[in-house]
Amino acid sequence: MGDASNIIVGTAGKAYAAEVGATFPLGPELAWGAGWVDMGYITPDGLEEALAEERTTLDAWGEDAPVVDLAKKRTQTFKLTFRETTARLLSLYYQVQMSKMTSTPAVTGPPAKKQFISFGSGSVTDTVEIALGLDVIYGGKFHRIGIARSGVSDRGARQHSAEESSNFELTFTALAAPGGGQAVQHMITDVALPEEEEG
């Protein structure tokens, strides 16, 4: 018999960024610690998570089917569209380190001038990587995803018009974690293991 309480609908969510090597919270409902920054509003499309594998099979003489099926590579991606324009999102979209951006302060004048940020196009060798934290929330349920090291592998076109905000559509790919740790860690509330269900 099905249980409707096991259905998760991501009605809200948040994304957080930190330097690679940052410490993740030890539970899905604990506050994000020092160094983690809220990345701002996300469009109602929410989070699109994908897991792809490249596999190879080994055959044996006289066998009709493969005898070994090996995973060669596993790629996990996380796609989000952000609404706000911040230095961090500009850095990730244009692939330029924030340390290479210049902020010119406002001038009271006369004439008055607004503060502005400036930067050149990023270099293909100037990789921007972050630790990424994601929260998917439905009622009292939490699904927290921690990506120890990630980079932007795909970017949607930015639309500048009166019809829509100038969004940042970013697809993050999970990269090998520093020190050989878990590249991606999931924590989900109110999901019992089979032994717990029987007990």
Side-chain angles (χ1 to χ4, degrees):
M1 183 73 176
D3 184 348
S5 68
N6 289 330
I7 298 173
I8 295 179
V9 179
T11 55
K14 288 283 188 180
Y16 300 88
E19 296 296 321
V20 174
T23 301
F24 286 89
L26 297 178
E29 298 180 81
L30 298 178
W32 292 87
W36 289 95
V37 177
D38 187 334
M39 295 177 72
Y41 287 120
I42 298 167
T43 62
D45 297 332
L47 168 66
E48 181 181 306
E49 178 185 1
L51 178 59
E53 283 188 337
E54 290 182 20
R55 305 189 71 84
T56 186
T57 57
L58 301 178
D59 299 324
W61 192 9
E63 297 295 332
D64 294 334
V67 292
V68 175
D69 182 16
L70 297 173
K72 292 172 60 179
K73 183 172 74 171
R74 175 177 289 171
T75 303
Q76 290 180 265
T77 58
F78 305 86
K79 180 180 175 182
L80 297 144
T81 302
F82 298 92
R83 286 209 185 275
E84 298 183 41
T85 297
T86 65
R88 183 174 300 278
L89 287 169
L90 289 166
S91 167
L92 289 164
Y93 188 87
Y94 291 106
Q95 195 69 9
V96 56
Q97 299 285 351
M98 283 191 286
S99 62
K100 296 184 178 179
M101 296 178 170
T102 300
S103 179
T104 301
V107 177
T108 55
K113 296 180 181 178
K114 289 188 174 183
Q115 176 274 342
F116 65 91
I117 191 172
S118 57
F119 54 91
S121 298
S123 166
V124 292
T125 60
D126 191 23
T127 304
V128 179
E129 296 179 353
I130 61 168
L132 181 63
L134 303 171
D135 281 339
V136 180
I137 306 162
Y138 167 55
K141 290 182 180 286
F142 290 81
H143 182 176
R144 177 164 287 178
I145 307 169
I147 301 101
R149 178 174 160 246
S150 70
V152 176
S153 55
D154 194 29
R155 296 160 176 81
R158 294 195 69 202
Q159 180 178 339
H160 303 284
S161 74
E163 303 299 321
E164 178 61 282
S165 56
S166 297
N167 298 330
F168 297 86
E169 180 186 295
L170 303 176
T171 300
F172 297 89
T173 294
L175 305 172
Q182 286 286 340
V184 179
Q185 184 73 32
H186 293 265
M187 293 181 280
I188 309 173
T189 61
D190 297 325
V191 178
L193 291 173
E195 296 80 12
E196 295 172 340
E197 291 175 346
E198 294 170 2

